[in-house]
Amino acid sequence: MNGLKRLIRGGFERLESGLDAVCGPQLNPLVQLGALGWLLFWLIAISGIYLYIFFDTGVTQAYASVEALTHDQWWAGGILRSIHRYASDALVVVTFVHMLREFGMDRLRGVRWFAWVTGLLLIGFIYVCGITGYWMVWDQLAQYVALTTSRWLDALPIFAEPISRNFVSNAGLSGRFFSLMAFAHIAAPLLMLLFMWVHIQRYSHARVYPARNLSIATVLALVALSLVEPALSQGAANLDALAASVGLDWFYLAFYPLMDVIGAGGLWALSLGFLVLMAILPWAPPLRRPAPAVVHLDNCNGCARCFDDCPYSAITMQARSDGAPFSQEAVVDADLCVSCGICAGACPTATPFRRATALVPGIELPEHGIAALRERVASACQNLAGQPGVLVFRCEHGADVAQPSTGSAAVVDVPCAGMVPPSFIDLVITRKMAAGVMLAGCHEVGCYQRLGTDWTSQRVAATRDPYLRQRIPRDRVALSWANAAQRGARADAVERFIGSLAGRGDMALHAPAPADAAVQTAWQAPPRRLAGWLRWPLQALLLAAAMWPLGFLSARPEVALRGDNDAVVTLTFSHAGRPLQECRKQTPEELAKLPPNMRRPVDCARGRWPVYIELQLDGRTVFAGTEEPAGLWNDGPSSLFERFPVPAGPRQAVVRLRDSGRESGFDYSATADLDLRPGQNLVVEFRQPGGFTFR
């Protein structure tokens, strides 16, 4: 499992590196997949509201209203319908890619199981929304979706009568069906929005919107796709006939053709197996969790900086419990802590300048204590061999640091760059332990611990507490953001930073800056991007490459539903078999022994005989089967809905039914001479009274 995760993570990190060169880290879509999902959801919701204003919930009106939207006002309704479909397809893609990336990054185990499991629930809501949306159009694809979905649901032993019987013929279809679909299609997104909120509840400062330019580019790309490849209906639905083929939306309906191969029961087994497998991944194998952060109340003054900076809402501020003259104290929820150390980097008491007393901050990681970090820093700086020497605090999830060709670099690994208190930079620079300090984190936007790169940059720029003091020259402090695959960029940054320090001589501390002084920025290597004249065309090409599958796979390739010369015979009934025992009239003595509310003149035992039915065409048995009665006591009706493709032309049909306990013979039978047309749906139905009908 770990090998598979490393393979997937390596692939994503290489793709992210390539997109960084083309788009820049701030516009890299792979590190903003969750935020892109939120953007797509709002696009779907806004376009859906407009479409629903003009939608008519009627058997014939539904298709007509959608067609009028698409063609009569193509400039608004047509474009918004296309955006509605393509944004829905894009949401499926973004969700599964996001899921795969989190799996590869191993961000699903431990305390992160909650987001993974709620994400699986969101996938279910996405498919409910998408599938019910296709039903509402009521074109030939909607007819296929309705019949196939009903057949799938009928495999569950919870319905007294098959849902498929609602789609026997045009005459039996009610407009209430479309009202029900409209309700489901509106209720499901509302519930989905609720679970989206739940999904991010354990994340503080959750990013729910992508970068502005990325959002604009996404919307414009969807509009362009809607103009080039507008979403169209596939002909009005007709339950009395069956289309030869339909174009599937493969993002939502790819598993539907499997039902013809493995059956409805097999598809349920496959779906539930996939769901169970995905649900147990956070515990396969269980994560060996490092010790959570601990609070030392003797040094905690309740400043709440650790609370503000924790990416996972693992810290709360509560009333003081030790009698100290402070109003509150930090409390760590061990079940939510991922041991990133960002809280230690935020603590103002985590200063290495303390010598009179033991270096025990208000909060720290037991396995990465601040006192131990000071000792590691001192030891690393002593081992700097060449000049100028640089101390590098490297995030363990980022790129490695190679020794430069000139000067030297000492590396101190930390769980996250955000764990390093700014006072450690102050110590190294002011005590001249190294010529410069580099904070080497992982990806600039896709921080493994979510907020480490953001908080580190703001602390160095003195815009977030605890901040690096103004006396430290920022040209001696470097920031380097590179994921594990960007080793070349990391090596180049180290070389350039050391080169910028060469020949500088002793450092002169800056005087304290006035309150209105401009923000000082740390040294950073120039971004490794393509030239502008090449970058813009490549960005447009990438957008086109992302949109092409949405336009193609939303309706192609088509799936054949029948042969060109085939018709369809539908065999259906809902009929209660005869009682297992004849009803018996109770005597006055028997009635007197019963409570008043149970005194019925006739006693009928519960339970009915199963119904056996067989259909023959031209002497060949097409179907023969026994349908058990519904209900816990087997006293409900037996039901059947089956469809059979048969060659068109003249046929003789013989259908027989037995609903009693007789061992041979039949209770009902009928014979008919048929002339089947290609595409015709001939319904053979049994009703009581009346018997069999052919229509």
Side-chain angles (χ1 to χ4, degrees):
M1 187 71 73
N2 288 335
L4 178 61
K5 289 179 180 178
R6 285 193 295 270
L7 180 65
I8 294 174
R9 177 173 182 171
F12 270 104
E13 288 177 336
R14 286 172 175 80
L15 285 173
E16 290 166 13
S17 301
L19 289 173
D20 280 351
V22 177
C23 307
Q26 298 297 330
L27 299 182
N28 192 327
L30 283 183
V31 297
Q32 303 181 64
L33 293 169
L36 278 173
W38 279 85
L39 171 67
L40 293 169
F41 174 84
W42 290 119
L43 287 176
I44 296 166
I46 293 170
S47 58
I49 290 172
Y50 182 87
L51 297 176
Y52 186 71
I53 292 173
F54 298 92
F55 181 73
D56 194 343
T57 57
V59 176
T60 58
Q61 295 90 336
Y63 178 80
S65 64
V66 173
E67 286 295 281
L69 262 172
T70 305
H71 300 290
D72 295 348
Q73 49 164 301
W74 66 266
W75 43 270
I79 292 176
L80 286 175
R81 179 191 178 186
S82 299
I83 290 177
H84 192 71
R85 174 183 291 186
Y86 293 135
S88 300
D89 291 340
L91 181 58
V92 173
V93 175
V94 165
T95 300
F96 278 103
V97 174
H98 180 52
M99 179 179 173
L100 183 63
R101 184 175 183 270
E102 294 303 292
F103 172 79
M105 296 291 179
D106 200 18
R107 291 197 289 207
L108 70 160
R109 296 189 297 162
V111 304
R112 295 181 174 94
W113 71 267
F114 182 81
W116 179 267
V117 172
T118 54
L120 292 178
L121 294 175
L122 288 175
I123 291 175
F125 279 112
I126 289 173
Y127 274 88
V128 170
C129 294
I131 292 172
T132 55
Y134 273 112
W135 283 32
M136 293 174 65
V137 178
W138 204 233
D139 60 355
Q140 292 174 358
L141 175 60
Q143 178 179 334
Y144 169 76
V145 170
L147 289 168
T148 308
T149 305
S150 299
R151 176 185 165 196
W152 192 38
L153 294 175
D154 287 340
L156 298 175
I158 59 176
F159 300 105
E161 184 174 329
I163 300 175
S164 303
R165 282 182 48 80
N166 292 295
F167 306 101
V168 172
S169 64
N170 289 330
L173 185 62
S174 170
R176 289 177 297 177
F177 161 74
F178 294 96
S179 299
L180 175 63
M181 285 299 101
F183 173 78
H185 194 59
I186 293 172
L190 293 175
L191 289 173
M192 179 178 168
L193 181 60
L194 173 63
F195 275 89
M196 289 170 67
W197 175 78
V198 172
H199 179 66
I200 62 174
Q201 277 308 288
R202 292 191 174 184
Y203 294 150
S204 60
H205 308 280
R207 183 182 290 121
V208 294
Y209 297 106
R212 178 182 299 177
N213 288 345
L214 180 59
S215 300
I216 294 173
T218 302
V219 173
L220 291 179
L222 288 172
V223 171
L225 177 60
S226 301
L227 293 172
V228 173
E229 187 75 16
L232 302 173
S233 303
Q234 300 186 32
N238 181 8
L239 293 175
D240 296 329
L242 180 65
S245 63
V246 292
L248 289 191
D249 184 334
W250 291 91
F251 298 102
Y252 282 94
L253 308 174
F255 57 91
Y256 273 46
L258 283 176
M259 202 175 304
D260 295 328
V261 179
I262 62 177
L267 187 57
W268 273 115
L270 182 64
S271 303
L272 293 176
F274 173 78
L275 180 62
V276 171
L277 175 63
M278 293 297 102
I280 65 174
L281 282 179
W283 298 275
L287 178 68
R288 190 200 72 81
R289 293 180 57 188
V294 294
V295 176
H296 304 293
L297 286 181
D298 291 346
N299 293 288
C300 175
N301 61 11
C303 68
R305 290 173 184 168
C306 56
F307 165 77
D308 292 335
D309 284 8
C310 179
Y312 300 99
S313 300
I315 300 175
T316 56
M317 302 306 297
Q318 299 181 12
R320 203 74 188 188
S321 63
D322 60 350
F326 303 105
S327 61
Q328 55 187 0
E329 65 183 43
V331 177
V332 176
D333 186 340
D335 292 333
L336 300 181
C337 180
V338 302
S339 305
C340 62
I342 291 177
C343 55
C347 185
T349 64
T351 170
F353 290 100
R354 187 191 306 176
R355 293 294 180 182
T357 60
L359 180 48
V360 180
I363 189 169
E364 65 178 345
L365 296 180
E367 297 177 11
H368 298 275
I370 294 299
L373 180 62
R374 182 173 65 181
E375 294 175 3
R376 291 167 59 201
V377 167
S379 175
C381 291
Q382 288 175 0
N383 293 328
L384 287 171
Q387 293 298 326
V390 171
L391 177 67
V392 181
F393 290 100
R394 187 192 78 92
C395 168
E396 61 186 21
H397 302 287
D400 292 332
V401 177
Q403 280 300 320
S405 57
T406 59
S408 60
V411 180
V412 175
D413 285 339
V414 290
C416 176
M419 175 189 161
V420 181
S423 54
F424 272 77
I425 304 172
D426 195 333
L427 174 75
V428 173
I429 299 298
T430 58
R431 299 291 173 85
K432 301 181 180 179
M433 300 167 68
V437 175
M438 172 177 282
L439 296 165
C442 48
H443 195 276
E444 182 175 355
V445 178
C447 174
Y448 187 87
Q449 303 294 3
R450 297 190 57 246
L451 301 174
T453 55
D454 291 342
W455 296 166
T456 300
S457 299
Q458 293 175 29
R459 292 169 187 169
V460 172
T463 59
R464 188 177 190 87
D465 285 332
Y467 55 81
L468 181 61
R469 289 194 284 183
Q470 295 287 352
R471 68 176 185 172
I472 302 301
R474 294 314 194 265
D475 56 2
R476 290 184 179 268
V477 181
L479 299 177
S480 171
W481 312 124
N483 65 34
Q486 295 172 319
R487 291 182 291 272
R490 175 61 49 78
D492 180 64
V494 173
E495 292 277 3
R496 287 175 177 268
F497 182 49
I498 290 178
S500 71
L501 297 174
R504 285 275 184 104
D506 291 339
M507 180 202 70
L509 296 179
H510 289 180
D516 58 350
V519 174
Q520 298 187 49
T521 57
W523 183 95
Q524 282 189 269
R528 306 183 81 183
R529 299 182 190 174
L530 299 174
W533 65 269
L534 182 59
R535 192 163 65 248
W536 302 116
L538 282 178
Q539 289 177 4
L541 185 62
L542 284 173
L543 279 174
M547 293 298 110
W548 180 83
L550 300 181
F552 183 81
L553 293 176
S554 66
R556 291 180 292 266
E558 293 188 348
V559 171
L561 304 182
R562 60 172 177 81
D564 292 337
N565 195 42
D566 282 350
V568 176
V569 174
T570 299
L571 178 63
T572 182
F573 70 83
S574 180
H575 172 64
R578 300 180 188 181
L580 293 175
Q581 298 178 8
E582 294 296 331
C583 295
R584 183 179 61 85
K585 186 176 181 180
Q586 300 194 80
T587 65
E589 292 77 10
E590 290 174 326
L591 291 173
K593 295 178 181 179
L594 297 174
N597 63 321
M598 297 181 63
R599 293 173 181 173
R600 293 177 297 180
V602 179
D603 179 28
C604 297
R606 306 185 78 166
R608 294 182 178 275
W609 288 104
V611 176
Y612 174 82
I613 189 171
E614 66 179 34
L615 172 66
Q616 294 181 348
L617 292 177
D618 296 335
R620 181 176 64 88
T621 300
V622 176
F623 178 83
T626 300
E627 304 304 317
E628 298 293 332
L632 294 175
W633 302 97
N634 293 329
D635 58 349
S638 300
S639 301
L640 174 72
F641 183 93
E642 292 288 344
R643 311 189 86 185
F644 318 100
V646 297
R651 296 283 180 268
Q652 185 182 57
V654 177
V655 59
R656 306 183 182 96
L657 182 144
R658 181 168 59 241
D659 64 355
S660 63
R662 60 193 299 178
E663 296 182 358
S664 62
F666 296 91
D667 299 301
Y668 305 91
S669 64
T671 302
D673 293 322
L674 310 173
D675 188 9
L676 301 177
R677 303 182 305 276
Q680 179 185 358
N681 176 31
L682 176 77
V683 179
V684 181
E685 185 174 15
F686 178 83
R687 286 182 179 272
Q688 188 71 313
F692 287 103
T693 59
F694 298 81
R695 63 178 190 277

